[in-house]
Amino acid sequence: MKKQEFKAESKRLLDLMINSIYTNKDIFLREIISNASDAIDKLHYASLTDDSVNVDRDDFKIRVSFDKDKRIITISDNGIGMTEAELDHNLGTICESGSLLFKKENENRENIDVIGQFGVGFYSAFMVASKIEVLSKHFGTEDAYLWKSDGVEGYTIEKSKKETYGTDITIYLKSDDDSYEYSKYLDTYVLEDIIKKYSNYITYPIIMKKMDHILKEGSKDEYEDVEKDETINSMTPIWKKSESEVSKEEYDEFYTDTYYDYESPARVFRNNVEGKCTYTSLLFIPKHTPYDFYGKNFERGVSLYSNGVMVMDKCPKLIPEYFGFIRGLVDSPDVSLNISREILQEDKEVSLIAKSLETKIKKELETMMKDNREEYEKFFENFGLQLKFGVYNDYGMHKDDLKDLLLFYSSKNKKMISLKEYVDALADGQEKIYYACGETYDKIDLMPQVESFKDKDYDVLYLKDYIDEFAIRMLREYEGKEFTNISNEDVNLGSEEDKKIIEEENDNNKDMLDIMKEVLSDYVKDVKFTNKLKNHPVCLTSQGNLSVEMEKVINAMPTDEHIKAETVLEINKDHTIAQKLKNLYETDKDELKKYAKVLYSEARLIEGLPLDNPTEISNLICELLSK
Ligand code: ADP
């Protein structure tokens, strides 16, 4: 018998567990029972798909018992069991420990239900145990093995004896102390309560021995106490109960217990579908973004069941990526039990269900947007990015499905609005949907270009997520109204008359502007006077398809490729600086060149772009200020 140490990371989690920062110790039972149920699932599944495995569905059970004198609780299952190697591997390491990561990131936040959120499984038993023994025999093997650990020093595994396949987990309760009464678990009613609360929908019977007060045999009035097996859990999957039977609270509880969320879901929706495909789905929209949602290890997908038997825990094929926030399950008699991850990709039934689910989810979101705008806005704050990616990805294949679910910040309403709302409220004579991009709404609001739109009472959508403009470009138009970046050189709200005036102004000052353009030839395509600005002296606009914002986004990506938007320096024709430039053109052309550089730098700063040559510019400014 060899003594093994826990892997380093496991040690830290164990430590966390033992000196529990988590106050709800009751969940250890849920974790152990849920493992037992998984182990039975595995054997059940094998029996349905492998002829050599002969077990009867009706024999499956999980038994919970305790011994008051020995201070032990035992949880037994007749599931698949573990071999020696599996005991060593499965109970010796805590894989990819999400909770540790989470703990590190949130060290300073208090009262976080860390463990409750993740379900760290087996190890949670050390919250209440001073010692744990796992006696297991893998189905179809002869030998049983006993794994023992007191949680601190490591564990041992030795050969042992066990009649039947499956696993017995024995928990030796800690002694009571001032902080906690561990003996409370040595009570039928306490255990029963915990099982009902957290494991009610486990699909196999969870059995406990209970005292029954019954008439003595042959007697008419004499009673006796007899121990009898009783199934504690309801067993019927919650999605198989008739809808009128299940309360919102029950769904919420199912959700929080199954997905380890500390908050109830924003939305629960269940569908029973018959037709091209037949299935029941129970889906949830979380109230908040899971902590690792945008991380690369986040596993998308809902669980797939075939007539109550779980076929796959996370089936990504069922839910499109842009609805990746959906949690829940699908149960369909049409899905073959033998399905593997590989065939799943091509499975016709699964594709049909996926298509149908997508429509249902979309409808649910539309209803949410209509009936409870506040809730929808909250939802969009959490998951809107996902939807915008959905518009952009796959060459815009899904844009029409998603466009009405989008919200953008409206400069006029100072809140999030849909594209439909924007178009329905167009100002007189407005033909386009205008948008502006920047880092924050406040910063966009201060952009020089925005001023003239405000003047005209045109609404402008403010875009601050980096994906925004890419998604908008993919959409191109909404209800025939083209999306237009107000920073585009071509955008001009002036009248024909105004346009003529500015054209003349540019023609008249062509030589002067050419000198400025020459100095800035490495940076801008053009330098010109504009009538777009009211109080501001300059702005930077872009020609063609690539905006300055897009340049920033693309260049921030970790590739070697660097691109440049084709920009134009526009100078307010009515600003005093315009006259100053004209004067310099007559008197001091060198000085004019310096002004060109400074004005261009100003325009870049306003756009939130860095200067290539900050020292040169700052020296120039000082030189000009000192005059
Ligand atoms: P998780 O259940 O999240 O994988 P646990 O720490 O709870 O993590 O369990 C680790 C592994 O140990 C399980 O994935 C499973 O393979 C194995 N295991 C735990 N309990 C049992 C059991 N009762 N029967 C068979 N295998 C088990």
Side-chain angles (χ1 to χ4, degrees), residues 254-439:
F254 174 83
Y255 170 85
T256 46
D257 292 346
T258 312
Y259 304 103
Y260 304 119
D261 201 336
Y262 55 89
E263 255 189 315
S264 55
R267 211 81 190 182
V268 183
F269 54 115
R270 186 173 137 176
N271 291 103
N272 300 314
V273 177
E274 276 178 52
K276 261 200 254 165
C277 49
T278 301
Y279 70 87
T280 300
S281 61
L282 175 60
L283 303 179
F284 304 92
I285 300 173
K287 254 198 200 128
H288 58 109
T289 327
Y291 84 105
D292 56 347
F293 189 62
Y294 291 105
K296 65 176 188 302
N297 291 330
F298 184 78
E299 261 195 287
R300 190 162 61 70
V302 296
S303 317
L304 179 62
Y305 286 78
S306 166
N307 267 334
V309 181
M310 188 193 275
V311 177
M312 199 176 289
D313 183 21
K314 289 265 170 69
C315 180
K317 174 87 192 291
L318 282 173
I319 300 278
E321 201 172 337
Y322 44 85
F323 290 154
F325 47 83
I326 294 281
R327 282 170 160 162
L329 56 96
V330 173
D331 193 344
S332 166
D334 299 342
V335 172
S336 149
L337 271 173
N338 272 315
I339 208 156
S340 70
R341 253 173 207 276
E342 292 73 45
I343 1 182
L344 190 80
Q345 288 307 324
E346 282 126 48
D347 190 86
K348 224 181 82 224
E349 306 305 332
V350 175
S351 301
L352 279 174
I353 298 176
K355 194 79 219 123
S356 160
L357 281 180
E358 184 179 346
T359 316
K360 299 267 180 269
I361 297 169
K362 197 185 150 205
K363 234 190 227 136
E364 187 67 26
L365 291 173
E366 280 166 356
T367 313
M368 186 171 166
M369 193 200 261
K370 218 164 64 213
D371 297 352
N372 192 340
R373 183 56 174 257
E374 203 180 316
E375 190 181 44
Y376 189 80
E377 280 176 26
K378 183 98 208 339
F379 156 80
F380 197 83
E381 220 172 89
N382 287 326
F383 303 111
L385 207 55
Q386 232 7 53
L387 300 183
K388 291 186 278 196
F389 273 115
V391 167
Y392 177 72
N393 284 345
D394 299 327
Y395 307 100
M397 213 161 92
H398 313 283
K399 62 180 183 183
D400 286 332
D401 290 330
L402 296 173
K403 63 183 179 199
D404 284 315
L405 295 175
L406 303 180
L407 295 179
F408 294 103
Y409 184 84
S410 141
S411 65
K412 218 163 129 176
N413 299 286
K414 307 223 175 323
K415 62 174 185 143
M416 302 299 280
I417 65 166
S418 69
L419 295 174
K420 177 101 182 77
E421 286 159 350
Y422 183 97
V423 169
D424 285 349
L426 287 187
D428 274 351
Q430 188 185 344
E431 285 301 324
K432 292 180 168 166
I433 301 176
Y434 291 107
Y435 68 88
C437 304
E439 244 175 275

